[in-house]
Amino acid sequence: MNIMLVDDEPLELEQLEYLIQKKFPTWKFFKAQDASQAVQILKQHDIMLAFLDIQLPGKSGLELAAELTRSHKMDIIMVTAIQNFEYAQTSIRLGVVDYITKPVIEDELLEVLKRYERIGRYSELIMNALQIIHQEYSEKLTLNYLASKIHINPAYFSRKFHEEVGMGFSEYLNDYRLKEAQRMLIENPELSINTISDRCGFNSQHYFSQIFRKITGYSPRDYRLKETLR
C-alpha cells in the first residue's frame, strides 16, 4: 500500500513514518514538504492514503485536500497543531476520513488506522486490485476487467481475492459502493438519491435503494434524515 505524508517539518514526517511503519512494515512511504511536491508524487505513484498537515507553506493542506478529492480516489487524514472547529468542519465537508492533532499520540494514531489493519495483511496482488476498486468503483467494474488490469487469470484472481479478503469480488465491490453512498448521503445533502446512486456505480436507483435497505435497514432518504438529525 502506497501512503503519502505531507508536512513542512522533516522531523514530523520522520516521526509519523516511524509510528505508522511500526504497525504496517510493508507499506511504502512517500514524503512531501509542500503541495507541489505532493502533486509530483501523485503523478508517479498511486496513493491510497494521505496524511496532510493543514499548515503548509503556499497552498494549505485543506486546499490540497480539496484538489486531491476532485482528481484522485484516496483516503485523506488531516493533521494539525491547532484545534480549530472551522478546520474540522472544512475537513468533514471535503470528505476526509479523519482529523488528528499534533503532537501525534501513538495510541490515537493507531485508533485512526484500525480500519486499515486488514489491508496491511494483503498481498501486493490484492492491494493492486483494491486500489483499482477504490479508484474506479463508480464505473462498470467486472472481475474479468480487474483481472486483466493486474495481468492475472480471472479464476485464480477470484479465488485469491476470496481467500485474502474474506468475501467475493462482487460482494466487496457492493459493500465499498454502499459505504461511499452512506458517506455521500451525509456529506452532500444537495445531491439527489439518483445522483449518488449513479456516482457510486449502481445500475439503477431502484436497485441501489433495494440493496441499501437490505444492508442498513433504511431507505437512502430515511438514512440521510436519521444521520442529519443526530
Side-chain angles (χ1 to χ4, degrees):
M1 174 165 164
N2 291 341
I3 176 171
M4 181 170 70
L5 311 177
V6 187
D7 196 306
D8 62 328
E9 294 289 340
L11 286 177
E12 296 283 355
L13 287 174
E14 295 301 325
Q15 182 203 25
L16 194 55
E17 180 181 16
Y18 170 75
L19 291 175
I20 299 172
Q21 201 166 43
K22 279 172 63 178
K23 181 69 175 178
F24 301 101
T26 62
W27 285 8
K28 190 171 184 180
F29 293 84
F30 299 89
K31 291 173 285 188
Q33 291 184 253
D34 57 32
S36 63
Q37 289 181 10
V39 170
Q40 289 305 311
I41 288 171
L42 289 165
K43 287 180 180 177
Q44 301 173 47
H45 306 280
D46 290 325
I47 302 297
M48 198 166 182
L49 172 65
F51 281 79
L52 309 182
D53 182 32
I54 288 180
Q55 303 293 330
L56 292 174
K59 186 178 293 184
S60 74
L62 289 173
E63 290 173 317
L64 176 59
E67 182 180 326
L68 297 187
T69 54
R70 286 194 300 268
S71 55
H72 296 81
K73 297 294 183 185
M74 70 177 72
D75 286 358
I76 296 175
I77 296 171
M78 302 306 301
V79 185
T80 180
I82 305 170
Q83 290 193 345
N84 182 299
F85 180 67
E86 288 186 11
Y87 284 168
Q89 270 194 321
T90 303
S91 298
I92 292 168
R93 192 165 62 247
L94 290 172
V96 305
V97 300
D98 227 313
Y99 176 96
I100 59 176
T101 55
K102 295 179 180 178
V104 175
I105 298 170
E106 185 172 3
D107 287 347
E108 292 179 2
L109 176 64
L110 294 180
E111 186 66 30
V112 169
L113 291 171
K114 270 187 175 179
R115 72 185 75 197
Y116 304 101
E117 283 182 350
R118 190 180 182 98
I119 291 177
R121 300 193 295 269
Y122 293 150
S123 66
E124 185 176 354
L125 173 75
I126 296 303
M127 279 303 307
N128 290 340
L130 292 176
Q131 196 149 7
I132 294 169
I133 291 172
H134 295 176
Q135 291 172 342
E136 302 183 27
Y137 69 93
S138 61
E139 307 298 328
K140 292 182 178 179
L141 283 182
T142 65
L143 187 142
N144 285 344
Y145 166 78
L146 198 52
S148 70
K149 286 276 284 187
I150 56 179
H151 312 294
I152 194 170
N153 176 272
Y156 174 77
F157 169 65
S158 177
R159 185 170 67 253
K160 188 74 172 169
F161 192 97
H162 199 286
E163 283 175 2
E164 292 194 30
V165 181
M167 63 178 76
F169 160 74
S170 296
E171 186 181 356
Y172 181 89
L173 177 60
N174 268 342
D175 184 66
Y176 188 81
R177 284 171 168 169
L178 283 171
K179 283 184 171 62
E180 287 298 302
Q182 287 173 283
R183 180 182 63 79
M184 286 186 197
L185 283 165
I186 299 167
E187 295 173 3
N188 304 97
E190 76 285 357
L191 294 181
S192 69
I193 305 299
N194 188 56
T195 298
I196 290 174
S197 168
D198 185 59
R199 288 190 182 183
C200 290
F202 291 98
N203 291 329
S204 70
Q205 183 181 333
H206 174 73
Y207 175 69
F208 166 60
S209 297
Q210 191 177 46
I211 194 170
F212 192 95
R213 184 186 291 274
K214 181 180 178 181
I215 299 299
T216 67
Y218 296 90
S219 70
R221 199 175 310 280
D222 288 345
Y223 178 85
R224 171 182 271 170
L225 181 61
K226 175 178 74 77
E227 293 298 320
T228 303
L229 293 175
R230 274 192 173 188

